[in-house]
Structures are given as C-alpha cells and as structure tokens.
Amino acid sequence: MALASSRSAAAAPATIRTSSLTCSRAQHISHRVSVFLPSSGGSASLAVSCGLSNKSPRQATMHGVRAMAVAVKEEAGKTPLGLEVVETVEPNSRVRLNVKVPPSVCQDSYDQVLKEFSKQAKIPGFRPGKTVPDAVLINYIGPQQIRASAVEAVLKRTLPEAMSSVAGRALKESEHILTKFDDLQASFSPSLGLSYDVAVDVAPEVKWSSTSSYKNLRVTVEAPDDLAAQRAADAEFLSRLKDLGSLQVAVGRGIEMGDVTIVDISATRLNEDGTPGDEILSCNQKGFQLDTEEGASFLPGFVEALIGLKQGQTHSFDLTFPQTWQQEALRGLLARFTAEVQELFVRVLPEIDDSIASQLCPNCTTISEVKDTLLKKHAEQIEQVKRQATQFAITQELSKIMDVEIPHSLLEEQGRQMYAAKLIELQASMKLSKEQVVSLSSQEMVQNFLISQKHRISDSVKQTLAVAEVLKLEDLKVSKEELETEVENAIAEFKRYNQEYDEERVKEQAQELLEGQKVLDWLKEHAEITYVTPQ
C-alpha cells in the first residue's frame, strides 16, 4: 500500500546485501562473486544448469584473476613451427595477434589431411589400405571439404604456439579467431602461407591515482545509530506482546493513539488550482486495519488526521508525500485523502510478568531474558548491516581512486554470474519451478540483463580487480587453518541441505571469500571511517 513505508532503521539498504543473506550457506558458498561485492554474485552451477554458460565459467574474482592466465603447454617433441606473430594492443585490455603460417606448415597439414581421408574413405574400385591417388581422393571427397579440413588442421596446430606470446597474460577462454573461416578456406593453398587474426583478452593493469592512495581511504558510511538496536528490540517486544493481547470494541468515543481501527481509504491528486485530479489507485484500500501505534511507518500526518473520528464518520484531509518517499512517482505530490471509519477497537495487553516470558520467546523464563534475547538479536543484525555498509563504502571508494580497462570477457562473465545469483534469489523467495527458472535463463533474458546492468557490472568488476591488486601489493595471506575451517563449514552446509558439491570447487571459492575478507579488514584498519545516521 502506498501509505505505508517499508523502510526500517535496522534494515540494510538493498545495495549492501550480500550473498550470505540468501536461504542457505550452501548457496552462499556457491556464489562466484566474493563476499566483498554486495548483491553481485552468481552461482556457477546454476549458470551451467540453466544454460547461462556453455563452458566452464571464467572467474572474475581475485583467485580467478590470478588463475585465468593461459598456460600454453608445449607438446613433447614438437619443434617450433616458424610462425610470425605480430601483437597489437587494443582498447579494453585486448590484444590482437596477426599470425602468419609458413607454406611448409600448410603443405604438411594438407598432406596429413589427405592421408587421414585416404585411410577412412571407402572409394569404389580401391581395396581398403590401398593407396588412392590424390586426384581421385580429392574428387571423391570434394576439394572444398579437403580445404576446410586442412584449414582446421592448420589452426589447431598453430594456435597454441601463436598464443604462447601472451602466455601468463591471457584470460582463459577469451581468445577467438577474428578472420572468417570461409575467407581462410577460400584463400587456402597448400603451397602458400596462411594468415589469420586472433583476439584475446589479457589481465588488466590496475592504475592507482597515487602509489599509496588505497592505504589511507576516507569513507563516510551511513549506518544505524547506537540506539537503533534497542529501538528495534523494544518494537519487537511490543509486537509480540500485542500478539498475546486481544481487541475489544471501543464504544462511544473517537480514535485515540494506541487504538486499532478498520478504515476505507481513497485518495486523489490535487491540481495546482486545488481541484481534485486523478485517483491514486495505490492508496485506495477497503477494510484497511490500521494500528495507530505504528504511525511512524505511514505517510507523515496520516494517523494524526484520524484521531478523534468515531465509527461511521468520514473525514477528508490533504497531505503531501515527502521527497524521500519510496515510490518515486508520489514524491512531492499533494493529495486529498478520504477516510471512513468502519470499526474501532481498543487493544488490551496482558500484564507483563515472568509468567508470559515463554510465550513471548521460547526458552526464556523471565521478561528480562526475553528483552536481552531480543536486544542481542537486533544488535547482531545491525552490526551485520554496519559491517556490510562499511565494506560497500570501502570498495566504492577504492574503485574511485583506480583506473583499469576492463576486458569484455570479464564483464560478460561477471554479468552472467550476477544474473545467476538473481535467479537464485528469485527461486528462493518466489519458489519458482525448474521450468520457470529455465525460461528466465534464455539467451535473450541474459543479454537484456547484460545490457541494462552494464554500469553496475562494470563497477563490480572494477572493485574486484582493485581488491585483488591490494591483496597482491600487501602480500596478504590466508592461513591453512582458516581455509580448512571455511571449507569444512561449507561442506557441512552442503550436506545439511543435501546438495551436491565439488570439493576442489568449494576450496577454491572459500579461498576467494577469505582473501576478499582479508583485504577488506586490512583496508578498514588503515582507513579513516566516519559513520553517519541515515536521514
């Protein structure tokens, strides 16, 4: 309903929620994006099962940035092919390789292709194993097919050596041949050389605004004040107490603060001349139950306008939606509300003593224990919100003092991971069927997400790369004991939820999470942090 605000002092802003707030730790550990990048993760396993990726996902996390360097393996006994490779640096951390293959390699590849076809082809008039003249074989197989197979053989044979010039820098699975295959096939001749272009993304270089700029960050963090936990605990105590109470019809008087009333509400926009305009449909409500003690969560002035009204009475009043209102379309709007009181109740609460403690909170025997339990709960929640907000502010500030050319392959993979994480949240909150998840995983849906969220995806990758760079520069390490504990906890959660897991994968992701936390703890220790209360 438009009259009620969903904001809460103890609630974390949507932008600082992390994967740890999903339905289970099993999902949390499966997120591909490190814990320091709030609301931006994705499950690799979901991505694969939903068709978000047709190959092993590239990592956009710190561990992934280190591991993505392509290690080109030299085949034992193979001699250099004599390729000529010219490297050209292009924008967005991409390198173009122009590869010139000598005629000797083309001829040898062509001969090998003919030899293989000769072994496999069953040509009328020639017994198996008997040598088939090249002209007869080519005529039978077709010259176009022979050339196509020869080109494939040349590419397969030469690409590893060509890529060796960027070994240690290239991002895994980012390479692709730019030259059209049809053009290569059309121009191929075994007696001539062959030339083709390859594009490959390389590990981006992080450039800081100054050498030590990341060591003395200054950040301002919006976080709940010191009394927020107590207010939240008091509010929950009262709410639980109300659940044990009862409602009695109030007779012969108007609405008082603390009452519960049933009202029919309607609202219209007011034009500049004061005349009524269109209805505000989101405000119209029949039989709305309003607890006057919860007035702070409603439109300012709304509850106060109802005080004194008796059952059956109707009252019209004008209110302006504040500029901070959640629904952007209503901000600053002057509206005329009409409220008709249908019923009025007074709330009768039970006497507050230790006899109701266990009803208010299981396992508690005194009211003091109930209040302490609730306070501890909300203090932990608010501390988590504060910690997440601090991490978010640090990574945001970190990305402002660095510059990096982000490869397209990292953007795409990070975006796919984020979209997969979004599907996990939807599946958990809306209990989507497998068919619904698959339909939301179509290539069109994924591409739309990548386009619409490009800026957010880019920020996410930038922050990851910045944190990875700090990890390297400060030589921060995760101890063996820390890693073992994290892995054991993660596997225990997988087993608890009867989910399959790959132990090496879990270990890899646990390493990423711990490294991210190490960096954030280090940055927080060296940063100047100012906490302010949200307005």
Side-chain angles (χ1 to χ4, degrees):
M1 181 180 178
L3 296 175
S5 171
S6 61
R7 292 167 294 178
S8 169
T15 51
I16 62 171
R17 292 174 187 160
T18 68
S19 55
S20 60
L21 300 184
T22 54
C23 61
S24 76
R25 184 183 177 82
Q27 289 180 348
H28 166 75
I29 196 67
S30 72
H31 276 215
R32 298 291 300 129
V33 179
S34 300
V35 69
F36 52 83
L37 294 181
S39 284
S40 59
S43 167
S45 58
L46 178 68
V48 173
S49 65
C50 293
L52 292 181
S53 176
N54 59 2
K55 53 188 175 183
S56 300
R58 288 181 295 273
Q59 297 182 24
T61 52
M62 295 182 303
H63 179 75
V65 170
R66 297 196 307 270
M68 279 186 290
V70 173
V72 178
K73 297 182 179 179
E74 292 293 337
E75 297 182 24
K78 177 170 284 189
T79 58
L81 300 174
L83 305 181
E84 181 183 338
V85 181
V86 177
E87 180 178 318
T88 304
V89 177
E90 297 189 342
N92 300 320
S93 299
R94 171 165 287 191
V95 170
R96 177 188 289 260
L97 303 175
N98 176 250
V99 184
K100 287 184 170 59
V101 183
S104 59
V105 175
C106 294
Q107 184 67 59
D108 187 57
S109 299
Y110 183 79
D111 293 341
Q112 290 296 324
V113 165
L114 288 178
K115 185 177 180 180
E116 287 300 316
F117 273 123
S118 180
K119 289 179 182 178
Q120 299 175 21
K122 296 180 180 180
I123 302 177
F126 291 89
R127 292 192 302 273
K130 187 176 180 179
T131 302
V132 180
D134 289 351
V136 175
L137 183 63
I138 293 172
N139 184 62
Y140 182 77
I141 300 298
Q144 187 173 354
Q145 179 60 50
I146 297 291
R147 285 198 305 272
S149 298
V151 169
E152 288 180 1
V154 170
L155 295 176
K156 183 177 180 181
R157 187 174 175 183
T158 61
L159 190 57
E161 184 174 312
M163 289 291 294
S164 65
S165 67
V166 290
R169 294 183 292 146
L171 304 188
K172 183 182 291 185
E173 298 177 358
S174 69
E175 69 280 359
H176 64 278
I177 297 174
L178 298 175
T179 311
K180 293 181 179 179
F181 187 83
D182 288 345
D183 292 342
L184 291 173
Q185 178 184 323
S187 63
F188 178 80
S189 173
S191 60
L192 301 176
L194 187 71
S195 177
Y196 63 90
D197 289 339
V198 180
V200 59
D201 289 340
V202 295
E205 179 185 359
V206 174
K207 299 177 182 178
W208 302 104
S209 57
S210 64
T211 307
S212 59
S213 54
Y214 66 86
K215 295 183 178 181
N216 301 293
L217 296 177
R218 293 184 178 182
V219 297
T220 299
V221 182
E222 285 195 355
D225 60 38
D226 294 338
L227 298 178
Q230 186 62 64
R231 291 195 299 271
D234 291 344
E236 184 171 353
F237 180 85
L238 179 59
S239 177
R240 294 189 180 202
L241 191 65
K242 288 178 179 179
D243 290 340
L244 298 181
S246 60
L247 295 176
Q248 295 181 0
V249 176
V251 180
R253 67 172 178 82
I255 298 174
E256 297 177 2
M257 196 61 70
D259 289 345
V260 175
T261 180
I262 307 298
V263 293
D264 291 345
I265 303 167
S266 62
T268 58
R269 301 169 184 266
L270 287 183
N271 299 319
E272 293 184 1
D273 61 1
T275 58
D278 297 333
E279 283 188 281
I280 305 176
L281 298 178
S282 60
C283 292
N284 294 349
Q285 186 80 24
K286 290 282 188 181
F288 178 68
Q289 180 174 311
L290 184 147
D291 188 336
T292 56
E293 285 188 341
E294 297 176 358
S297 62
F298 291 92
L299 179 65
F302 183 82
V303 172
E304 290 77 2
L306 302 182
I307 298 300
L309 292 181
K310 296 182 179 180
Q311 182 178 1
Q313 285 188 328
T314 299
H315 178 50
S316 293
F317 49 95
D318 298 343
L319 293 175
T320 300
F321 286 91
Q323 293 294 340
T324 56
W325 197 247
Q326 188 177 26
Q327 290 176 269
E328 187 174 351
L330 297 180
R331 293 174 186 172
L333 179 70
L334 178 61
R336 175 159 297 165
F337 292 88
T338 299
E340 182 180 354
V341 180
Q342 301 296 330
E343 297 179 80
L344 179 59
F345 302 94
V346 60
R347 191 184 294 278
V348 179
L349 300 178
E351 185 177 348
I352 302 176
D353 57 37
D354 293 343
S355 64
I356 63 170
S358 61
Q359 295 174 272
L360 291 171
C361 187
N363 302 320
C364 290
T365 57
T366 66
I367 294 297
S368 178
E369 283 184 40
V370 173
K371 292 184 175 181
D372 288 345
T373 299
L374 295 179
L375 180 58
K376 180 181 179 182
K377 166 190 167 183
H378 287 283
E380 290 175 351
Q381 290 178 347
I382 287 177
E383 183 59 32
Q384 183 184 38
V385 168
K386 189 174 182 179
R387 182 169 60 254
Q388 293 168 358
T390 302
Q391 292 178 352
F392 180 74
I394 287 175
T395 54
Q396 285 287 91
E397 190 63 30
L398 201 62
S399 65
K400 294 177 183 178
I401 60 171
M402 54 87 78
D403 186 37
V404 64
E405 292 189 353
I406 303 175
H408 175 75
S409 56
L410 284 188
L411 286 174
E412 182 172 333
E413 188 58 37
Q414 186 82 331
R416 289 176 180 275
Q417 293 164 6
M418 291 167 66
Y419 188 72
K422 181 180 178 181
L423 289 187
I424 283 181
E425 293 178 5
L426 284 174
Q427 190 175 25
S429 61
M430 302 177 63
K431 297 181 179 179
L432 301 178
S433 67
K434 182 178 180 180
E435 291 73 20
Q436 289 174 313
V437 172
V438 170
S439 68
L440 290 172
S441 307
S442 68
Q443 189 64 24
E444 182 181 0
M445 295 288 287
V446 176
Q447 286 302 319
N448 288 340
F449 178 82
L450 295 178
I451 294 171
S452 64
Q453 300 297 316
K454 183 178 180 179
H455 182 72
R456 187 162 70 93
I457 295 168
S458 178
D459 282 347
S460 175
V461 176
K462 279 186 67 176
Q463 292 165 13
T464 300
L465 294 172
V467 173
E469 187 71 4
V470 174
L471 181 81
K472 180 181 70 176
L473 292 174
E474 298 302 323
D475 195 27
L476 303 177
K477 305 291 185 183
V478 173
S479 70
K480 181 180 179 181
E481 293 74 18
E482 289 173 321
L483 181 59
E484 288 176 349
T485 299
E486 180 69 22
V487 171
E488 288 173 3
N489 292 338
I491 290 177
E493 286 298 310
F494 276 112
K495 291 180 177 179
R496 177 183 174 190
Y497 289 95
N498 296 317
Q499 294 183 351
E500 295 181 0
Y501 64 91
D502 181 322
E503 188 165 347
E504 284 303 311
R505 190 87 163 128
V506 172
K507 184 176 180 179
E508 179 182 291
Q509 293 169 349
Q511 179 85 19
E512 295 170 10
L513 292 172
L514 291 173
E515 287 177 343
Q517 195 58 56
K518 283 281 184 184
V519 173
L520 286 171
D521 289 343
W522 188 92
L523 290 170
K524 181 179 178 182
E525 181 181 344
H526 291 78
E528 181 182 318
I529 303 175
T530 303
Y531 291 98
V532 297
T533 304
Q535 297 299 318

